[in-house]
Every structure is written in C-alpha cells, then in structure tokens.
Amino acid sequence: MMNDIYEHAIKPMLPKKFDENEWFVIVVTIIVLTGIYYITMKNRHLLWTELISIFLFNLQLATLGDYFLAMPPYDFYDTVDRNSGELMDIFLQNIIYPGTVLFLMSFYNKKTTNKVLFILVSAAILGILEWIGIHLFHLFKYNTWKFYYSVAFYLLVMSLNVLFFDKLRKFLNSRLSNS
C-alpha cells in the first residue's frame, strides 16, 4: 500500500535528478520570499488589499498560463525535469511568478511615472530572468515555444497588472474616501 502511494502519487512529482534547475528554483524562491518580506514588512507602500490582490491575480495568471500553454493539446514547453507537474513547479507557480510581479508592482506604485517604460522594463527583467533560467539552469525546455513569445507574454502580463493595479487603486480610494 505505502509502496503504491509512493510509486503513483509521490514519485511522479519528485525531480528525476536533483540538479541545477532545482537549486535555481530553491535559491530564487528564497530571494523572492525575502523580497516579499521586504515590501510587506520593512518597506510597505501598498495596502494589504493591494498586496494580496496583486499576488492572487498573478497566481491565477501563472496557473492558467502554464495550464493552457504547457499542457496538451498545445504543450509549448516543459518545466524543470518533467513534461507534467513536479514539486518545483509548485514553487515556480505559487511563489516565484506572482512574487516577482508583486515586487515589480510595488516598485511601480512607489517610483513609476511612465507606465509604458515600466511595462517595457518589467517585461525585459522577466525575460532576462527566464533566459537565465533556460540557458544557465535548464529550467524550461521549449517544445514549440520561442523566447520572443515569452517577451510578448510578459508585455501582456505587465500591461494587465498595471491596468489591474490602477483600477484597484481607484476603487479602493473611492471606498476609503466614502467611509
């Protein structure tokens, strides 16, 4: 019974080989969690409602994006060691993707005056991080996906985040001013 659970439930989620891509995910997860701690506890410029909303919005984008783009029938790319979900994918989808965008949006709230420039720079940062993950740590394996698709996707994601944040901020400000 325990052997069946291990073989059919646990083993398929474990890395085939614990190598550079797992270490990369662990290190980046620690960095992102440190960044989240910094922007939520030490240098907060966003309301808790904004922080949670941005995080959940991007968690949803990451989950849906990977579900539709990395799974059949499209199967554009694979992450880490397997062509289906693996333990490290949990960290990628639930911490790294939404946490990195949350950090960028905190910067947007604090420093940005030019939305277009922010979107371009953020998409470039996300693209560079993906490029590092691919070429130095073998984090992704493109099947039919191309790197420039990722850049276009990041432009879309960051545009949606700016739009979402601006609408959320306007809504919250109207609620706060009415109370």
Side-chain angles (χ1 to χ4, degrees):
M1 169 92 175
M2 290 304 286
N3 193 35
D4 285 345
I5 291 171
Y6 175 77
E7 285 296 320
H8 299 292
I10 297 171
K11 189 177 179 182
M13 288 191 61
L14 295 176
K16 289 181 180 177
K17 179 179 152 192
F18 199 92
D19 55 12
E20 69 272 357
N21 54 37
E22 284 80 18
W23 281 113
F24 179 72
V25 170
I26 291 169
V27 169
V28 172
T29 298
I30 292 168
I31 292 168
V32 169
L33 287 173
T34 303
I36 290 171
Y37 175 77
Y38 177 76
I39 65 170
T40 58
M41 300 300 186
K42 297 291 186 189
N43 193 22
R44 186 156 50 99
H45 296 280
L46 296 170
L47 300 170
W48 279 110
T49 305
E50 293 167 329
L51 289 163
I52 293 167
S53 296
I54 292 166
F55 192 88
L56 291 175
F57 179 65
N58 285 284
L59 178 64
Q60 185 69 28
L61 289 176
T63 303
L64 284 174
D66 275 351
Y67 179 78
F68 285 111
L69 300 174
M71 302 295 288
Y74 304 112
D75 195 23
F76 292 128
Y77 58 87
D78 299 329
T79 56
V80 198
D81 295 334
R82 299 182 185 276
N83 63 356
S84 61
E86 173 183 315
L87 182 62
M88 292 299 153
D89 286 330
I90 294 169
F91 295 105
L92 286 169
Q93 284 184 350
N94 296 302
I95 297 172
I96 295 174
Y97 294 150
T100 302
V101 176
L102 179 63
F103 191 80
L104 291 169
M105 292 308 295
S106 176
F107 186 80
Y108 169 76
N109 176 57
K110 190 168 119 178
K111 302 271 186 197
T112 303
T113 56
N114 186 328
K115 292 178 187 182
V116 173
L117 182 61
F118 171 78
I119 291 167
L120 292 172
V121 170
S122 296
I125 290 169
L126 294 170
I128 290 166
L129 292 172
E130 181 173 318
W131 187 91
I132 290 168
I134 293 166
H135 294 286
L136 300 179
F137 299 99
H138 309 103
L139 190 60
F140 300 103
K141 178 184 163 267
Y142 292 159
N143 296 330
T144 57
W145 193 257
K146 305 287 185 223
F147 179 72
Y148 59 88
Y149 298 167
S150 293
V151 174
F153 185 76
Y154 294 139
L155 287 168
L156 174 65
V157 164
M158 292 313 298
S159 297
L160 289 172
N161 270 280
V162 167
L163 179 65
F164 177 75
F165 178 79
D166 288 346
K167 296 285 184 190
L168 178 64
R169 173 61 59 95
K170 185 177 178 183
F171 172 77
L172 293 173
N173 284 339
S174 73
R175 289 291 193 188
L176 293 172
S177 66
N178 289 336
S179 52

